[in-house]
Amino acid sequence: MEKVDMLDFLPYLLQDLWELGSNPEDIINLIEKYMDTSEESNILDLACGKGAVAIKIAKSLNVKVTGIDLIPEFIEYASQKANKLSADTFCHFKTEDINESVLIEKNYDCVILGSAGNILGTPEETLHKLKLPIKPHGYIIIYDVCLRDTAKKEDIKYKDHDYLNYEQWLNTFSQSDLKLIEAIPNKKASRNDSNNKAIMNRAHELASIHTEKEPIFENFIDIQLNGSYDLKNSVTGITWLLQPV
């Protein structure tokens, strides 16, 4: 199969969606519950997508949020959305590789990584990198998926992600010198069906335009469906709130 960078097509594939990844309300609830915020508080949202989490945090809590994503179209959309919703005073967005951002950005009260996956490497590598931009007693909020106790790894359809179970996540946090403050299971997993329908429609449109790449877009659809199947049957999306020990 031809090698194609799907990042080039993500703006088209995801054009019908604003929220990409974690549930903004869960993140807002965790910040309100555990953090003493003010207008001087600053939060870093890595792989921010189109800015849904950053903008909703800024609007709800009146805190400064910096959102970073690699895709320029997403950053442009986020900036326009923040301006439209009068959140641009508190929100700042920029295009950057977050692997570089974690080495540059400093002194944040909280860092958020609201997209499951291996953008920053293994879970251990990811957690190490997420500690770098925060203050000594800052917080980490990360969204990822957890293998259910009743699930068997051989039943997993999405083979490119090595899901950890709850105990494995706890061990990973402990080995990374992080304490778990709270974990919130994602209760909006059902929205994946409507999201997938929108994404599949756009993938079919791309396949009709770029007929020579049709197998690549069909494979992308399979990956989406496999991930959704796992969310329904084998894994649970969880928003974790962590703090360095």
Side-chain angles (χ1 to χ4, degrees):
M1 186 177 294
E2 179 188 355
K3 181 72 173 178
V4 171
D5 190 349
M6 289 304 296
L7 284 176
D8 294 337
F9 294 101
L10 283 183
Y12 191 95
L13 289 163
L14 303 179
Q15 64 182 282
D16 304 300
L17 310 179
W18 184 33
E19 294 185 18
L20 309 174
S22 57
N23 181 4
E25 286 71 30
D26 288 342
I27 293 176
I28 291 169
N29 288 339
L30 288 172
I31 294 173
E32 284 185 309
K33 186 174 180 179
Y34 293 100
M35 301 181 204
D36 185 15
T37 61
S38 70
E39 291 187 0
E40 299 305 313
S41 300
N42 57 343
I43 294 173
L44 179 63
D45 184 10
L46 296 172
C48 68
K50 297 182 182 181
V53 169
I55 292 171
K56 290 188 176 185
I57 290 174
K59 289 283 289 182
S60 298
L61 305 177
N62 292 329
V63 297
K64 292 178 287 187
V65 188
T66 298
I68 301 176
D69 200 278
L70 186 61
I71 300 177
E73 292 89 343
F74 286 178
I75 293 301
E76 181 180 0
Y77 182 96
S79 299
Q80 292 175 352
K81 191 80 169 180
N83 183 62
K84 182 178 179 180
L85 296 177
S86 301
D88 50 319
T89 302
F90 290 100
C91 286
H92 171 63
F93 295 100
K94 56 183 176 179
T95 305
E96 198 170 86
D97 183 342
I98 66 170
N99 282 281
E100 299 174 1
S101 305
V102 292
L103 304 176
I104 300 169
E105 301 290 336
K106 303 293 180 185
N107 296 318
Y108 285 89
D109 297 294
C110 176
V111 61
I112 298 168
L113 181 63
S115 302
N118 58 356
I119 301 173
L120 294 177
T122 66
E124 294 84 357
E125 292 168 339
T126 296
L127 294 171
H128 170 71
K129 291 176 180 178
L130 291 178
K131 288 195 289 184
L132 299 177
I134 60 173
K135 298 174 182 177
H137 300 291
Y139 293 87
I140 294 171
I141 296 177
I142 182 171
Y143 173 82
D144 212 314
V145 292
C146 179
L147 187 69
R148 299 175 192 170
D149 293 336
T150 56
K152 299 178 180 179
K153 289 203 172 184
E154 55 266 29
D155 296 332
I156 298 295
K157 287 189 175 293
Y158 182 48
K159 304 299 184 182
D160 292 338
H161 192 93
D162 188 18
Y163 299 122
L164 303 181
N165 62 32
Y166 196 84
E167 287 301 318
Q168 289 172 321
W169 272 115
L170 293 182
N171 289 335
T172 301
F173 298 149
S174 177
Q175 291 169 7
S176 302
D177 294 324
L178 292 166
K179 61 181 177 180
L180 174 62
I181 307 298
E182 187 171 342
I184 302 181
N186 185 7
K187 297 179 181 179
K188 287 190 175 182
S190 58
R191 70 180 176 180
N192 284 325
D193 290 334
S194 59
N195 288 356
N196 280 336
K197 184 177 180 181
I199 293 170
M200 284 190 290
N201 286 339
R202 296 303 182 182
H204 288 310
E205 290 174 4
L206 284 173
S208 67
I209 297 169
H210 306 279
T211 54
E212 76 285 0
K213 296 182 174 65
E214 182 176 359
I216 295 165
F217 297 120
E218 292 298 331
N219 182 63
F220 180 81
I221 290 173
D222 288 340
I223 291 173
Q224 292 295 123
L225 293 177
N226 288 341
S228 292
Y229 176 90
D230 290 343
L231 272 173
K232 289 181 179 179
N233 298 282
S234 303
V235 301
T236 300
I238 296 181
T239 302
W240 311 88
L241 175 65
L242 309 162
Q243 191 174 38
V245 176

